[in-house]
Amino acid sequence: RTLCRPHAQRAPALPFAGSDIIDNALPIVYTVRTAHQAGTWPDDEAGIRQMFDLLELGLRSAVEVLDVESAWDKQLTDKLLVRAQQRYTSLILGSHHVVGSEVTMEEAIELYRQCRISNRAHGAKVVLSINDNENNKDQMAYEASVAAAKMDDPEIPNIGLVLGEQGSYSRILNPRFTPVTHESLPAKAAPGQLTAAEIMAARVLTGQIPSQKYAILGHNIAYSVSPQMQGSAFEAVRLPHVYTRADVATVEEFVEGPIWNDDNFGGCSVTIPHKQNIIPHVDVLTDAAKEIGSVNTVIVKKDKFGTRVLIGDNTDWKGIFNPLRRKLGDDSGKKGSNGMALILGGGGTARAAAYAASKLGLERIYFNRTPEKAMDLAKEFGGIVAHSLDNDAESKDSLGAILAEHQGSLEVVISTLPAAADFTLPEWVLASSALPIVFDVNYKPYSTALLLQAMEKGCDVVRGSEMLWEQGVGQFELWTGRTAPYGVMKKVVLENCLPKSK
């Protein structure tokens, strides 16, 4: 797995007692391929029964995708799929391989329908054989997959391949779950296999993946690391896209300009001061963007008539939510835990922080030098306003009094204040035996006054650099529909944010 997708690691995930954290959360596709289906597993009666035992082992192991051959005993297949539906979470991929003989287009279409396995499969895979490539036979699996997809409801994704060297082009045409080899392997697992780099290069050359234009929209954004981060991500996955800066004083300059109106405009990041002003120019807002009240991501889609639809989303909250969720684990915000988050500031990022804290199940306490802004946050996202950060039992609006009244524990402090404010917390907040996680959204400087204070007291901290790459990962995946090269994006951000050694 590491060889195939070295940059798609998510960290950390799946901790096991007594072992290191497993930070590679790529999905597993579990297959037992029989001799009849281009594999080696025995396909006599005893072998098939053992195959179903192994498939059930895959279900119990919680694999993400279970490959079920559609040609075998219907009773055993039904028993397996009933268990899958009732007790397990794996998606089912129905499959069929035609080995050593050709089929007609009509027969290929019917094989796709067979692989739906009575509408219980979540995807269908058909692999064909050809004796020659007359009349573009290497495209038959793909063409049959497109035709079959329109014949039944609900529509499910189809995978279409052709075996052998003559079928190499089918691997370029196939849009999903294409088996690949790797440059580091001594030999291909099967004739005709290509590396991911070869497939992506061919798709670019044949126009299957057109170059798209992306940008970060903002003003006075020469400091932004997003162009380096997203540009490196596109390069890592061999996408031919371009990501630039759009440094303009008004949103109107951008939406009337060449990038926004280009046929190959793929979307944009949006930063200060345009996160609210971009809203009238998009067609649809996601729930997150509506609730937070700002847009940091514009995504371009096409409707069924081919008309461009501009979607406004917000991934800032994910940049806050994801790191905190990893540190808090699954116990945060459970009923009766009285976990609380202190949110400092009252701007757009504070709104994203409030949204993220609510998703984490934490009660919100707001503090801002302008109490009216804190009150607005409490009104829209729920929570309590602290008028001071003192531990003053006599002042019911102090932070100490609020924590005491609600018998709450301060689990998280999220500062959205400018780094130049040099803000630090009152000493009593960090004097408890149960220290909060301290999150500062600023990524320059790498260690703010608040973070230095928190680290000195022994707190877990989250830097703004982590928020930057997490929200960028979310943007990349919304734009491309692909798993982001997490490792690449993290590396680029750190290279640009870490203090330079003297």
Side-chain angles (χ1 to χ4, degrees):
R1 289 163 68 179
T2 301
L3 277 176
C4 291
R5 296 296 289 279
H7 302 306
Q9 296 182 354
R10 306 293 177 134
L14 307 177
F16 289 95
S19 68
D20 293 333
I21 297 265
I22 297 176
D23 66 356
N24 187 344
L26 292 170
I28 294 174
V29 182
Y30 184 97
T31 300
V32 182
R33 188 68 68 225
T34 61
H36 178 77
Q37 297 277 296
T40 58
W41 188 262
D43 54 8
D44 56 13
E45 185 175 344
I48 294 304
R49 289 189 176 277
Q50 288 181 326
M51 177 193 75
F52 277 98
D53 289 340
L54 284 174
L55 290 174
E56 188 162 341
L57 174 62
L59 287 177
R60 294 200 303 273
S61 302
V63 298
E64 283 80 3
V65 179
L66 188 76
D67 185 331
V68 179
E69 295 177 355
S70 64
W72 300 116
D73 187 284
K74 290 186 177 180
Q75 286 187 325
L76 291 175
T77 302
D78 181 71
K79 180 181 177 183
L80 177 76
L81 295 185
V82 167
R83 289 194 179 188
Q85 287 176 315
Q86 292 178 347
R87 299 175 58 183
Y88 300 105
T89 59
S90 301
L91 298 176
I92 303 301
L93 175 65
S95 68
H96 188 86
H97 290 60
V98 179
V99 182
S101 61
E102 295 186 351
V103 299
T104 65
M105 176 65 78
E106 290 73 21
E107 289 170 330
I109 291 171
E110 286 307 310
L111 287 174
Y112 278 106
R113 303 184 77 186
Q114 171 185 305
C115 288
R116 295 175 66 93
I117 317 180
S118 303
N119 282 339
R120 287 185 289 185
H122 302 93
K125 175 184 177 182
V126 172
V127 181
L128 304 178
S129 296
I130 57 175
N131 298 324
D132 54 63
N133 198 23
E134 291 183 7
N135 301 316
N136 297 323
K137 290 180 184 176
D138 58 354
Q139 300 179 34
M140 182 190 295
Y142 171 73
E143 292 170 353
S145 74
V146 174
K150 301 173 182 176
M151 299 180 71
D152 296 288
D153 289 322
E155 184 175 330
I156 61 174
N158 287 333
I159 302 165
L161 302 171
V162 176
L163 292 171
E165 296 291 347
Q166 294 185 105
S168 290
Y169 186 55
S170 70
R171 300 172 187 273
I172 296 167
L173 286 175
N174 181 62
R176 59 184 67 85
F177 269 23
T178 303
V180 295
T181 186
H182 192 274
E183 296 88 344
S184 300
L185 296 175
K188 298 178 181 180
Q193 277 192 346
L194 303 171
T195 66
E198 289 172 330
I199 288 173
M200 292 300 291
R203 288 176 177 173
V204 172
L205 286 172
T206 57
Q208 292 179 53
I209 302 178
S211 176
Q212 293 187 312
K213 296 181 179 180
Y214 296 86
I216 178 168
L217 168 63
H219 190 42
N220 296 325
I221 53 172
Y223 67 89
S224 176
V225 181
S226 292
Q228 298 96 304
M229 176 178 66
Q230 298 293 0
S232 296
F234 290 144
E235 183 180 351
V237 298
R238 305 298 199 276
L239 288 170
H241 305 331
V242 177
Y243 188 103
T244 60
R245 283 183 178 83
D247 194 327
V248 292
T250 67
V251 167
E252 286 70 27
E253 290 177 69
F254 182 65
V255 300
E256 294 170 6
I259 297 175
W260 182 272
N261 293 290
D262 194 294
D263 290 339
N264 290 321
F265 175 58
C268 63
S269 311
V270 188
T271 189
I272 295 172
H274 300 321
K275 290 185 179 184
Q276 285 78 40
N277 294 337
I278 193 66
I279 290 175
H281 300 281
V282 300
D283 302 306
V284 180
L285 288 177
T286 64
D287 290 342
K290 287 177 185 175
E291 291 192 44
I292 296 170
S294 69
V295 165
N296 84 322
T297 310
V298 175
I299 308 127
V300 179
K301 299 290 186 184
K302 295 286 182 70
D303 65 15
K304 62 182 180 180
F305 304 109
T307 304
R308 188 172 83 164
V309 178
L310 300 168
I311 302 167
D313 203 346
N314 190 301
T315 64
D316 281 335
W317 76 272
K318 292 181 180 178
I320 298 169
F321 175 92
N322 291 346
L324 288 176
R325 186 47 173 261
R326 287 196 288 265
K327 288 187 176 292
L328 290 168
D330 292 330
D331 294 330
S332 66
K334 286 189 176 177
K335 195 170 182 180
S337 68
N338 293 330
M340 307 192 88
L342 172 62
I343 298 170
L344 305 167
T349 309
R351 297 176 65 86
Y355 186 81
S358 69
K359 292 294 184 183
L360 288 165
L362 298 171
E363 293 296 324
R364 278 79 63 204
I365 304 173
Y366 307 100
F367 175 76
N368 190 55
R369 287 181 302 176
T370 307
E372 290 77 15
K373 289 187 176 181
M375 290 175 184
D376 288 343
L377 289 171
K379 182 178 179 180
E380 293 195 43
F381 296 97
I384 309 157
V385 175
H387 289 274
S388 80
L389 297 180
D390 297 334
N391 189 15
D392 185 356
E394 295 183 5
S395 174
K396 66 176 183 178
D397 292 328
S398 73
L399 176 61
I402 291 169
L403 290 172
E405 180 185 350
H406 293 269
Q407 297 182 338
S409 62
L410 189 60
E411 292 193 25
V412 175
V413 176
I414 307 172
S415 173
T416 69
L417 301 171
D422 281 335
F423 173 86
T424 55
L425 289 163
E427 288 294 319
W428 75 268
V429 176
L430 303 182
S432 168
S433 58
L435 292 169
I437 298 165
V438 177
F439 193 137
D440 195 318
V441 302
N442 294 288
Y443 63 87
K444 288 185 179 180
Y446 186 67
S447 294
T448 61
L450 174 61
L451 291 179
L452 290 171
Q453 178 197 28
M455 288 186 290
E456 183 181 345
K457 299 296 184 181
C459 297
D460 265 350
V461 301
V462 182
R463 291 179 165 83
S465 53
E466 190 165 353
M467 176 183 174
L468 176 61
W469 75 65
E470 285 287 351
Q471 63 83 28
V473 162
Q475 292 179 329
F476 180 96
E477 294 183 347
L478 287 169
W479 291 329
T480 67
R482 297 172 177 270
T483 301
Y486 189 98
V488 168
M489 300 174 82
K490 175 180 177 180
K491 180 173 181 287
V492 170
V493 170
L494 289 177
E495 286 174 348
N496 284 271
C497 293
L498 282 169
K500 305 298 181 185
S501 57
K502 294 182 181 179

